[in-house]
Amino acid sequence: MEVSTLLEEIRTYRGRDELPADFDDFWNQAIAELEFPVAYYLVEKDFGLPSVDCYEIQFDGTNGGKIYARMVLPKGAEKVPIIFHFHGYMGRSLDWSSMLPYITAGYGMVSMDVRGQSGYSLDGPRNVRGNTVKGQIIRGMVDGADQLFYKDVYLDVYTLVELVASLEGVDETRLSSYGASQGGALALVAAALNPRITSTVAIYPFLCDFRRVLEFGNTSEAYDELFRYFKFHDPFHETEEDVFGTLAYIDVKNLAHRIKGSVKMITGLADDVCYPITQFAMYNRLECEKEYHLMPEYAHEAMFVYADNKVFNWLCGTHFESKSLLTEFK
């Protein structure tokens, strides 16, 4: 698709399907059934850093999950604003050293391992019917929205925000969320399910507009399981409406209207994993303060060397200059 044609469509595109009539009731009820205060372990890690406190957080998630996160805080500070970071699909939380730059601006950072992926968080035991050969988007789908794997992940995100907000020394009124790909989706989920999140940065968010993804065809491992389901379990697409009716409950575009804080989104227009049009299905449904930033030559790839200063400034309210100000060499 030519860039000009794509830009014309994405300005108004809102996705292939509307959210289910009971969508908000579904998530409100799921949150209401969580038990607080949540039991957790907070383990201090001594890395010999004189100005930083480092902690491991462990808590019980839904359906037997065991959730792990890392947290760094400025040592001895009170009322610390927190940035919640979420990683990409099949990844893990940030290394300790990668979290330290935000300390210089007086911020703490929390980075969570998604259950069942590459970090320390554990998914609970599941008796799951259907195709589980690859991936997690459709896991539990054939048994309905309550059994979806990502329903539990989204509730893990909600619980983490509540837990950290309750900790002594944390400023519960200044919480932000940030991530790319799956992490961008979860950053948006954090804001949609928990109004404590006041600002969000989402880079090429995943998990949006599943039916449009199917129309594009199978171009990435991230969505491969959706195509495998139809190819090997329903080649005539007799269950297609049921499938998309169930996946609607974890479609991030359907959560957009719940976000009250500000959102900034970065999109690579050459992205063939999380297609730009699917990202804007979410963006155009946002009713909050929002802005998007396009990188026309970029796909679903590392763009952070050019975007890091922007993201840091957005999250911390600083003003690092993104462009080089070189004096003339003689």
Side-chain angles (χ1 to χ4, degrees), residues 13 16-17 137-138 141 208-220 222-232 234-244 247 251 272-275 277-278:
Y13 180 73
R16 282 288 184 258
D17 301 295
I137 295 172
I138 68 168
M141 178 185 68
C208 295
D209 201 14
F210 296 116
R211 194 188 295 269
R212 188 63 183 263
V213 170
L214 193 70
E215 292 170 357
F216 274 116
N218 192 6
T219 63
S220 74
Y223 282 115
D224 183 46
E225 63 200 280
L226 185 59
F227 294 86
R228 290 177 64 88
Y229 170 80
F230 285 111
K231 183 173 183 177
F232 296 113
D234 182 16
F236 295 104
H237 286 237
E238 294 170 335
T239 63
E240 182 172 320
E241 293 308 311
D242 289 338
V243 164
F244 289 118
L247 293 181
D251 191 329
D272 60 356
V273 175
C274 298
Y275 285 93
I277 195 72
T278 67

Side-chain angles (χ1 to χ4, degrees), residues 99-120:
M99 301 167 69
L100 299 181
Y102 289 90
I103 297 293
T104 64
Y107 282 70
M109 177 168 271
V110 176
S111 189
M112 184 190 85
D113 285 342
V114 172
R115 58 169 71 198
Q117 296 190 10
S118 297
Y120 294 115

Side-chain angles (χ1 to χ4, degrees), residues 44-253:
E44 186 169 8
K45 307 291 287 185
D46 184 4
F47 298 121
L49 300 173
S51 59
V52 184
D53 289 325
C54 301
Y55 299 93
E56 292 179 318
I57 303 172
Q58 301 173 53
F59 64 92
D60 290 341
T62 50
N63 282 327
K66 304 291 183 181
I67 311 306
Y68 171 91
R70 292 171 172 168
M71 177 171 67
V72 296
L73 301 171
K75 186 176 288 291
E78 297 182 359
K79 292 296 180 182
V80 178
I82 299 293
I83 299 163
F84 291 89
H85 169 268
F86 301 99
H87 63 75
Y89 197 45
M90 299 180 287
R92 61 183 299 166
S93 58
L94 291 172
D95 290 336
W96 295 101
S97 60
S98 298
M99 301 167 69
L100 299 181
Y102 289 90
I103 297 293
T104 64
Y107 282 70
M109 177 168 271
V110 176
S111 189
M112 184 190 85
D113 285 342
V114 172
R115 58 169 71 198
Q117 296 190 10
S118 297
Y120 294 115
S121 292
L122 304 177
D123 191 22
R126 293 171 179 267
N127 294 317
V128 178
R129 294 191 303 146
N131 177 19
T132 61
V133 174
K134 291 184 69 175
Q136 297 171 330
I137 295 172
I138 68 168
R139 188 163 298 178
M141 178 185 68
V142 297
D143 289 317
D146 274 323
Q147 301 304 315
L148 286 167
F149 170 85
Y150 269 106
K151 177 193 175 186
D152 288 324
V153 175
Y154 291 4
L155 293 176
D156 294 340
V157 169
Y158 178 89
T159 301
L160 177 70
V161 173
E162 283 295 297
L163 190 165
V164 172
S166 73
L167 297 178
E168 185 177 355
V170 169
D171 186 347
E172 64 182 273
T173 68
R174 298 174 65 195
L175 306 180
S176 304
S177 56
Y178 162 51
S181 195
Q182 175 185 255
L186 296 183
L188 293 162
V189 167
L193 296 186
N194 200 314
R196 294 183 187 275
I197 301 294
T198 59
S199 64
T200 297
V201 176
I203 299 177
Y204 43 59
F206 184 43
L207 301 173
C208 295
D209 201 14
F210 296 116
R211 194 188 295 269
R212 188 63 183 263
V213 170
L214 193 70
E215 292 170 357
F216 274 116
N218 192 6
T219 63
S220 74
E221 185 176 5
Y223 282 115
D224 183 46
E225 63 200 280
L226 185 59
F227 294 86
R228 290 177 64 88
Y229 170 80
F230 285 111
K231 183 173 183 177
F232 296 113
H233 289 265
D234 182 16
F236 295 104
H237 286 237
E238 294 170 335
T239 63
E240 182 172 320
E241 293 308 311
D242 289 338
V243 164
F244 289 118
T246 299
L247 293 181
Y249 291 91
I250 59 166
D251 191 329
V252 176
K253 74 174 174 57

